[in-house]
Amino acid sequence: MEQAIQPGMQPVATTFFFYLLSGLTLLSGVFVITRKNPVHSALALIFGLLAQAGLYLMLYAPFVAGVQIILYAGGIMVLFLFVIMLVNLERSQREERFNKQWVVGLVAAVALGVLFVVVYVKGKALFPYRIAQPLENSNTQQIGVMLYGQYMFAFEIASLLLLVAIIGAVVMAKKRI
Amino acid sequence: MLDYITSYLSSNTTPGQAGNVFWALVYIMIVFGGISVAVMAMNWLERKALAHFQIRLGPMRVGPHGLLQPIADAIKLMTKEDIIPAEADKFVFWIAPLIILCASFAIYIVVPFGPTHAITDLNIGILFMLGVSSLSVLGVVMAGWASNSHYPLIGALRSSAQMVSYEVAMGLAVVSAIVMTSLHGLGPYGVGVGTSGTGTLSMIGIVQAQQEQHVWFLFKFFPLGFIAFGIFAIAMVAETNRAPFDLPEAESELTAGFHTEYSGLRWSLFMLGEYAAMIAVSSIAVTLWLGGWYRPFPNTLTGDTWDLVFSLFPGLTFLALAAIAFVGVRRMPKHPYFRVQTIGLAGFGAVLGLIGLILFVPPVRDRIQDIYWFIAKVAGFMYLYIWYRATFPRYRFDQLMKVGWKVLLPIGIGVLILTAILGVVL
Amino acid sequence: MAPIGTLHYLVVAAALFILGVIGVLTRRNVVIILMSIELILNAVNLNLVAFSRLWGLHGQVFAIFVITDAAAEAAVGLGILIAFFRNKETVNVDEVDLLKW
């Protein structure tokens, strides 16, 4: 029987939901890199992003989860789908999926994976198990205060970056300016 | 078990916040069933209202005044052949309507029908709503692409461009309403509750902020709240692809836009999703600008007398509907052909009247208040949707984009900046 | 089962990162390479948010910045892709072997 969530107490179903959501994330990641059709890849990526938003919720980061849904799934992925429709698909369907150096790439990636495993096995003690402080109720407010206080400069630079990206995208994609 | 179920009744929060799974499920079923019924009613109402706008009768054959038309339509759609085009991408074709449906129904998780009558109240409520409603673009794009046909593809491209553009204006209008929740740069409800200087994103919090500041955000910083609301009201019509912004499904140009190739049950899922999204964005507007579940003048017209007067409204509404039904009975043709229909309409009127009488019983009357006022406000918006459709001609696509980017967006930014300045200064 | 700690999330993020790297290194289609980059950025985000559990909200703020970067990157990358497709009629990376055409 599930009980009301007390501060400082973890919900009962955490373990189940963690494995479900992370499994979905990884499975959709596999689909993204193996599907022949880019639209299927994009679809898989969307599901992965949503599952990841669920993981953020489990980490008591509702604001990041909301931003993930609204920006990634609702914004960036629509852009991707839009572009996939604009570029020719039929040819890429019949072509080879992987490039010629795929063996090298795979070996390099696996080496990176081994590195990760070694780091995590050796450095396990560095990541102590600690329950999240339940700041869920004011998470958004605190992030807002941080963004406009401590990280003001970075925030302004991010806006500049977006401006540059807008201009760059227009310059690159438009035939005649 | 019984303890678990009854323990919620004494608590004073939404089931999601109380962590009570049973009541959360009950609420979900009530809300989703209610929305489905509302969509059917809306279907009938739209056809009748449109018909009367154009001096026609509309559906008259199935049931008295076509009252059973939605049910007949539903049966027709369910038994219709479900065609998947041979060249279509089967999986994407199959999942696109489901995405739209899930996106538009998931919004209702945070819609506050009353202080405790919401499925849950999220800390990021309004952000969640905007995010989930933006997911329906994906369904539109996928439906258009998977059909592997020209009209749907063009419709989907138009629709996604339109929805993404208007989301920006919509977001700005919403942000200026959120800024209003914090007054004097003080805490969440503008009454110095917190000291962080930020407002709140929670839907219930926004409504309570309006109550505590004694003003609907529509009238706050006049005319700023009004302009922001206007931007939202335009953007929400574009967002749901309704007339006059129904270019993606313009029948005369694109046959039916992104759902040209869909038929039967799948097509009805698109319709269900569209109407559910309309109700959902209307309820966002009601929550943000029109005081949510509060009755008119909750702060000035106080006292037992006014409470009593306002609490009679739900019953009176149903009695008025019943009266309309009985006028219809009187005006039915007296030919024996129409005997069944006349009896049916009389029965319908009797049921409405009975519901109205039940709503006068004090315990019911007091509990139904919040929900009634919320639904009444939303219903006003739904009528506006029909009115727009009957009145305005369709926009051209470049005009649409121009309005979105060159008119609504700059005005939205201006309103946001002015609201922020006034919020700190005043 | 063991309670879910930070390390669990880090392992998921690492696996996601490696999937992204494999995608970038082996696929030919530029669109999918860009999507793999999104996977990598998401892995980083997951790490940041997982660490924010230990060391306050800074990780979440950084995750928001990373999402902003991802949006900028996707816009510019897809702009390049469209310009490229207009000139070469292909979206495969291994056919981009000329600096000028």
Side-chain angles (χ1 to χ4, degrees):
Chain A
M1 187 58 63
E2 188 146 334
Q3 289 162 0
I5 300 164
Q6 304 293 325
M9 198 182 98
Q10 280 206 314
V12 182
T14 303
T15 317
F16 168 73
F17 276 112
F18 171 77
Y19 284 110
L20 178 76
L21 290 172
S22 51
L24 274 175
T25 311
L26 293 181
L27 195 68
S28 63
V30 171
F31 276 121
V32 169
I33 61 170
T34 52
R35 289 300 94 186
K36 196 164 221 171
N37 193 329
V39 173
H40 291 178
S41 287
L43 189 55
L45 186 51
I46 290 161
F47 278 109
L49 293 171
L50 293 179
Q52 221 181 343
L55 281 179
Y56 292 156
L57 281 180
M58 291 184 58
L59 284 165
Y60 297 97
F63 186 72
V64 181
V67 170
Q68 170 100 354
I69 293 175
I70 200 169
L71 262 180
Y72 251 124
I76 298 178
M77 290 321 292
V78 174
L79 200 62
F80 268 102
L81 284 171
F82 215 92
V83 169
I84 292 170
M85 283 176 200
L86 288 179
V87 300
N88 183 7
L89 266 174
E90 267 110 55
R91 212 180 122 213
S92 68
Q93 293 265 13
R94 277 179 266 112
E95 280 176 339
E96 190 62 35
R97 218 177 302 178
F98 301 104
N99 60 22
K100 293 188 202 86
Q101 305 92 23
W102 69 271
V103 183
V104 184
L106 205 61
V107 169
V110 169
L112 188 65
V114 171
L115 196 65
F116 271 124
V117 170
V118 170
V119 167
Y120 286 157
V121 168
K122 290 230 170 188
K124 207 171 179 177
L126 284 175
F127 310 117
Y129 173 73
R130 212 194 294 177
I131 289 178
Q133 57 274 57
L135 33 74
E136 198 175 9
N137 294 329
S138 59
N139 174 281
T140 314
Q141 280 87 345
Q142 288 183 355
I143 286 184
V145 168
M146 260 185 158
L147 267 179
Y148 289 97
Q150 201 175 348
Y151 289 97
M152 189 70 194
F153 192 60
F155 189 77
E156 294 298 334
I157 289 179
S159 70
L160 208 63
L161 176 80
L162 284 176
L163 181 67
V164 172
I166 294 170
I167 296 172
V170 171
V171 167
M172 237 126 24
K174 212 162 161 65
K175 273 190 202 118
R176 288 190 314 270
I177 300 165
Chain B
M1 186 71 196
L2 208 65
D3 256 15
Y4 180 66
I5 291 170
T6 49
S7 70
Y8 167 70
L9 293 176
S10 55
S11 81
N12 208 11
T13 49
T14 58
Q17 282 170 304
N20 195 317
V21 178
F22 174 81
W23 281 103
L25 281 176
V26 169
Y27 271 49
I28 287 172
M29 279 180 221
I30 293 174
V31 168
F32 288 8
I35 296 303
S36 305
V37 172
V39 168
M40 283 178 104
M42 179 68 191
N43 185 10
W44 177 80
L45 205 66
E46 179 167 20
R47 294 177 68 172
K48 287 304 267 193
L50 263 185
H52 287 287
F53 274 120
Q54 299 161 349
I55 331 282
R56 299 185 280 121
L57 282 175
M60 286 300 276
R61 297 294 167 127
V62 191
H65 288 267
L67 269 173
L68 299 176
Q69 187 71 38
I71 296 168
D73 278 351
I75 292 170
K76 181 200 78 176
L77 285 169
M78 271 184 238
T79 52
K80 213 171 170 181
E81 187 188 356
D82 186 11
I83 301 166
I84 297 184
E87 289 293 305
D89 191 310
K90 299 273 185 317
F91 178 68
V92 181
F93 193 83
W94 173 79
I95 206 166
L98 293 182
I99 289 177
I100 291 189
L101 198 69
C102 291
S104 36
F105 271 87
I107 300 175
Y108 292 99
I109 292 173
V110 289
V111 171
F113 293 95
T116 61
H117 303 128
I119 293 168
T120 185
D121 183 35
L122 292 177
N123 180 230
I124 51 159
I126 185 68
L127 195 67
F128 175 86
M129 270 179 133
L130 288 178
V132 172
S133 68
S134 73
L135 286 186
S136 62
V137 187
L138 294 171
V140 170
V141 173
M142 279 172 188
W145 177 81
S147 305
N148 205 353
S149 157
H150 291 282
Y151 287 127
L153 191 62
I154 296 170
L157 286 177
R158 277 186 178 190
S159 164
S160 53
Q162 172 183 337
M163 287 163 97
V164 170
S165 308
Y166 277 81
E167 231 160 60
V168 182
M170 200 169 173
L172 278 173
V174 166
V175 170
S176 70
I178 294 167
V179 169
M180 287 177 184
T181 57
S182 160
L183 197 67
H184 307 296
L186 282 174
Y189 305 135
V191 286
V193 176
T195 49
S196 54
T198 48
T200 178
L201 292 181
S202 120
M203 300 296 276
I204 290 181
I206 290 169
V207 178
Q208 281 169 348
Q210 299 183 42
Q211 199 259 335
E212 287 181 42
Q213 297 181 21
H214 292 222
V215 65
W216 284 2
F217 285 162
L218 178 64
F219 299 115
K220 195 174 172 187
F221 299 148
F222 190 83
L224 289 182
F226 213 77
I227 299 173
F229 171 76
I231 292 171
F232 188 91
I234 296 171
M236 84 186 196
V237 180
E239 187 72 10
T240 45
N241 289 332
R242 294 282 301 181
F245 301 114
D246 60 344
L247 295 138
E249 24 196 271
E251 280 132 15
S252 48
E253 300 160 34
L254 290 172
T255 60
F258 60 87
H259 54 58
T260 304
E261 302 287 347
Y262 283 82
S263 64
L265 194 60
R266 280 172 225 279
W267 182 85
S268 69
L269 292 184
F270 275 121
M271 279 299 107
L272 193 58
E274 182 184 325
Y275 281 90
M278 280 159 62
I279 301 175
V281 288
S282 305
S283 46
I284 300 182
V286 167
T287 312
L288 286 180
W289 282 282
L290 297 181
W293 66 79
Y294 280 105
R295 64 179 166 81
F297 310 109
N299 293 312
T300 46
L301 303 181
T302 48
D304 288 343
T305 327
W306 283 111
D307 279 349
L308 184 68
V309 168
F310 279 109
S311 68
L312 294 180
F313 269 86
L316 287 177
T317 310
F318 272 91
L319 284 189
L321 290 176
I324 293 171
F326 282 120
V327 170
V329 170
R330 290 272 304 170
R331 289 166 58 181
M332 270 286 191
K334 299 287 179 283
H335 195 273
Y337 275 168
F338 292 92
R339 185 174 296 149
V340 179
Q341 294 216 350
T342 313
I343 294 170
L345 192 56
F348 186 66
V351 170
L352 285 177
L354 201 65
I355 293 174
L357 289 181
I358 290 173
L359 292 183
F360 281 127
V361 180
V364 181
R365 190 174 73 193
D366 297 334
R367 300 236 167 108
I368 210 80
Q369 274 287 297
D370 307 323
I371 301 171
Y372 170 77
W373 286 109
F374 192 88
I375 290 176
K377 289 170 186 173
V378 172
F381 275 98
M382 302 320 285
Y383 185 71
L384 274 183
Y385 266 116
I386 303 172
W387 200 349
Y388 293 155
R389 185 172 166 185
T391 313
F392 294 124
R394 189 178 292 139
Y395 266 70
R396 214 170 62 213
F397 194 68
D398 59 323
Q399 292 171 333
L400 176 92
M401 286 312 212
K402 207 188 230 170
V403 169
W405 287 106
K406 293 187 183 166
V407 180
L408 294 186
L409 189 62
I411 295 178
I413 293 176
V415 167
L416 175 57
I417 292 172
L418 285 177
T419 314
I421 292 172
L422 285 179
V424 175
V425 173
L426 287 182
Chain C
M1 274 189 275
I4 306 299
T6 309
L7 195 58
H8 287 77
Y9 289 97
L10 295 190
V11 170
V12 174
L16 205 61
F17 188 89
I18 288 163
L19 282 175
V21 169
I22 293 175
V24 170
L25 290 181
T26 60
R27 291 300 300 252
R28 296 177 74 209
N29 195 325
V30 182
V31 182
I32 295 184
I33 289 180
L34 284 172
M35 282 189 219
S36 304
I37 293 174
E38 302 294 332
L39 275 185
I40 292 175
L41 289 171
N42 267 297
V44 174
N45 270 350
L46 192 53
N47 258 1
L48 286 171
V49 176
F51 278 130
S52 82
R53 237 180 145 190
L54 294 176
W55 292 299
L57 282 172
H58 301 269
Q60 295 183 21
V61 174
F62 263 87
I64 290 166
F65 283 132
V66 171
I67 292 176
T68 317
D69 282 1
E73 170 253 317
V76 176
L78 293 172
I80 294 175
L81 172 66
I82 288 179
F84 170 49
F85 180 77
R86 198 176 287 138
N87 284 319
K88 292 272 283 184
E89 291 287 315
T90 177
V91 285
N92 293 333
V93 266
D94 47 5
E95 288 170 40
V96 198
D97 43 8
L98 294 173
L99 285 176
K100 195 179 175 188
W101 61 79

PDB file of all heavy atoms in Angstrom, chain B residues 230-243:
ATOM      1  N   GLY B 230      -5.645  38.896 -24.699  1.00  0.00           N
ATOM      2  CA  GLY B 230      -6.002  38.908 -26.115  1.00  0.00           C
ATOM      3  C   GLY B 230      -5.019  38.110 -26.946  1.00  0.00           C
ATOM      4  O   GLY B 230      -5.403  37.331 -27.828  1.00  0.00           O
ATOM      5  N   ILE B 231      -3.726  38.285 -26.661  1.00  0.00           N
ATOM      6  CA  ILE B 231      -2.715  37.517 -27.391  1.00  0.00           C
ATOM      7  C   ILE B 231      -2.937  36.036 -27.185  1.00  0.00           C
ATOM      8  O   ILE B 231      -2.916  35.236 -28.125  1.00  0.00           O
ATOM      9  CB  ILE B 231      -1.303  37.924 -26.912  1.00  0.00           C
ATOM     10  CG1 ILE B 231      -0.998  39.336 -27.342  1.00  0.00           C
ATOM     11  CG2 ILE B 231      -0.259  36.980 -27.467  1.00  0.00           C
ATOM     12  CD1 ILE B 231       0.263  39.878 -26.749  1.00  0.00           C
ATOM     13  N   PHE B 232      -3.196  35.669 -25.923  1.00  0.00           N
ATOM     14  CA  PHE B 232      -3.419  34.243 -25.646  1.00  0.00           C
ATOM     15  C   PHE B 232      -4.656  33.749 -26.376  1.00  0.00           C
ATOM     16  O   PHE B 232      -4.666  32.669 -26.940  1.00  0.00           O
ATOM     17  CB  PHE B 232      -3.564  34.021 -24.139  1.00  0.00           C
ATOM     18  CG  PHE B 232      -3.594  32.582 -23.758  1.00  0.00           C
ATOM     19  CD1 PHE B 232      -2.428  31.920 -23.455  1.00  0.00           C
ATOM     20  CD2 PHE B 232      -4.783  31.878 -23.726  1.00  0.00           C
ATOM     21  CE1 PHE B 232      -2.450  30.599 -23.127  1.00  0.00           C
ATOM     22  CE2 PHE B 232      -4.810  30.555 -23.401  1.00  0.00           C
ATOM     23  CZ  PHE B 232      -3.635  29.915 -23.093  1.00  0.00           C
ATOM     24  N   ALA B 233      -5.714  34.572 -26.371  1.00  0.00           N
ATOM     25  CA  ALA B 233      -6.968  34.133 -26.983  1.00  0.00           C
ATOM     26  C   ALA B 233      -6.792  33.927 -28.484  1.00  0.00           C
ATOM     27  O   ALA B 233      -7.407  33.024 -29.062  1.00  0.00           O
ATOM     28  CB  ALA B 233      -8.066  35.144 -26.705  1.00  0.00           C
ATOM     29  N   ILE B 234      -5.943  34.753 -29.121  1.00  0.00           N
ATOM     30  CA  ILE B 234      -5.698  34.537 -30.551  1.00  0.00           C
ATOM     31  C   ILE B 234      -4.820  33.319 -30.743  1.00  0.00           C
ATOM     32  O   ILE B 234      -5.092  32.449 -31.575  1.00  0.00           O
ATOM     33  CB  ILE B 234      -5.041  35.791 -31.165  1.00  0.00           C
ATOM     34  CG1 ILE B 234      -6.003  36.966 -31.077  1.00  0.00           C
ATOM     35  CG2 ILE B 234      -4.649  35.536 -32.602  1.00  0.00           C
ATOM     36  CD1 ILE B 234      -5.376  38.272 -31.454  1.00  0.00           C
ATOM     37  N   ALA B 235      -3.738  33.251 -29.940  1.00  0.00           N
ATOM     38  CA  ALA B 235      -2.772  32.164 -30.118  1.00  0.00           C
ATOM     39  C   ALA B 235      -3.407  30.815 -29.835  1.00  0.00           C
ATOM     40  O   ALA B 235      -3.047  29.817 -30.457  1.00  0.00           O
ATOM     41  CB  ALA B 235      -1.565  32.381 -29.206  1.00  0.00           C
ATOM     42  N   MET B 236      -4.376  30.777 -28.920  1.00  0.00           N
ATOM     43  CA  MET B 236      -4.944  29.466 -28.590  1.00  0.00           C
ATOM     44  C   MET B 236      -5.824  28.952 -29.716  1.00  0.00           C
ATOM     45  O   MET B 236      -5.912  27.745 -29.929  1.00  0.00           O
ATOM     46  CB  MET B 236      -5.687  29.509 -27.265  1.00  0.00           C
ATOM     47  CG  MET B 236      -7.096  29.974 -27.298  1.00  0.00           C
ATOM     48  SD  MET B 236      -7.686  30.095 -25.616  1.00  0.00           S
ATOM     49  CE  MET B 236      -9.420  30.185 -25.905  1.00  0.00           C
ATOM     50  N   VAL B 237      -6.431  29.856 -30.466  1.00  0.00           N
ATOM     51  CA  VAL B 237      -7.199  29.406 -31.632  1.00  0.00           C
ATOM     52  C   VAL B 237      -6.253  28.849 -32.691  1.00  0.00           C
ATOM     53  O   VAL B 237      -6.505  27.807 -33.295  1.00  0.00           O
ATOM     54  CB  VAL B 237      -8.039  30.561 -32.204  1.00  0.00           C
ATOM     55  CG1 VAL B 237      -8.828  30.093 -33.390  1.00  0.00           C
ATOM     56  CG2 VAL B 237      -8.972  31.098 -31.154  1.00  0.00           C
ATOM     57  N   ALA B 238      -5.125  29.551 -32.877  1.00  0.00           N
ATOM     58  CA  ALA B 238      -4.158  29.064 -33.856  1.00  0.00           C
ATOM     59  C   ALA B 238      -3.546  27.749 -33.399  1.00  0.00           C
ATOM     60  O   ALA B 238      -3.285  26.856 -34.200  1.00  0.00           O
ATOM     61  CB  ALA B 238      -3.060  30.105 -34.057  1.00  0.00           C
ATOM     62  N   GLU B 239      -3.329  27.645 -32.089  1.00  0.00           N
ATOM     63  CA  GLU B 239      -2.670  26.468 -31.538  1.00  0.00           C
ATOM     64  C   GLU B 239      -3.521  25.213 -31.742  1.00  0.00           C
ATOM     65  O   GLU B 239      -3.005  24.126 -31.939  1.00  0.00           O
ATOM     66  CB  GLU B 239      -2.449  26.716 -30.037  1.00  0.00           C
ATOM     67  CG  GLU B 239      -1.646  25.696 -29.310  1.00  0.00           C
ATOM     68  CD  GLU B 239      -0.190  25.758 -29.675  1.00  0.00           C
ATOM     69  OE1 GLU B 239       0.216  26.717 -30.348  1.00  0.00           O
ATOM     70  OE2 GLU B 239       0.527  24.816 -29.310  1.00  0.00           O
ATOM     71  N   THR B 240      -4.824  25.372 -31.691  1.00  0.00           N
ATOM     72  CA  THR B 240      -5.687  24.204 -31.845  1.00  0.00           C
ATOM     73  C   THR B 240      -6.156  24.023 -33.285  1.00  0.00           C
ATOM     74  O   THR B 240      -7.026  23.209 -33.550  1.00  0.00           O
ATOM     75  CB  THR B 240      -6.911  24.325 -30.933  1.00  0.00           C
ATOM     76  OG1 THR B 240      -7.420  25.645 -31.049  1.00  0.00           O
ATOM     77  CG2 THR B 240      -6.560  24.065 -29.506  1.00  0.00           C
ATOM     78  N   ASN B 241      -5.591  24.811 -34.206  1.00  0.00           N
ATOM     79  CA  ASN B 241      -5.910  24.664 -35.629  1.00  0.00           C
ATOM     80  C   ASN B 241      -7.391  24.853 -35.921  1.00  0.00           C
ATOM     81  O   ASN B 241      -7.988  24.102 -36.687  1.00  0.00           O
ATOM     82  CB  ASN B 241      -5.492  23.289 -36.153  1.00  0.00           C
ATOM     83  CG  ASN B 241      -4.006  23.170 -36.231  1.00  0.00           C
ATOM     84  OD1 ASN B 241      -3.329  24.175 -36.401  1.00  0.00           O
ATOM     85  ND2 ASN B 241      -3.501  21.972 -36.104  1.00  0.00           N
ATOM     86  N   ARG B 242      -7.988  25.863 -35.300  1.00  0.00           N
ATOM     87  CA  ARG B 242      -9.394  26.105 -35.540  1.00  0.00           C
ATOM     88  C   ARG B 242      -9.566  27.331 -36.419  1.00  0.00           C
ATOM     89  O   ARG B 242      -8.676  28.170 -36.517  1.00  0.00           O
ATOM     90  CB  ARG B 242     -10.117  26.346 -34.201  1.00  0.00           C
ATOM     91  CG  ARG B 242     -10.141  25.148 -33.320  1.00  0.00           C
ATOM     92  CD  ARG B 242     -11.177  24.173 -33.773  1.00  0.00           C
ATOM     93  NE  ARG B 242     -12.500  24.787 -33.760  1.00  0.00           N
ATOM     94  CZ  ARG B 242     -13.603  24.151 -34.093  1.00  0.00           C
ATOM     95  NH1 ARG B 242     -13.553  22.900 -34.465  1.00  0.00           N
ATOM     96  NH2 ARG B 242     -14.766  24.760 -34.071  1.00  0.00           N
ATOM     97  N   ALA B 243     -10.731  27.457 -37.033  1.00  0.00           N
ATOM     98  CA  ALA B 243     -11.026  28.636 -37.823  1.00  0.00           C
ATOM     99  C   ALA B 243     -10.917  29.857 -36.938  1.00  0.00           C
ATOM    100  O   ALA B 243     -11.318  29.812 -35.782  1.00  0.00           O
ATOM    101  CB  ALA B 243     -12.439  28.545 -38.389  1.00  0.00           C
TER     102      ALA B 243
END
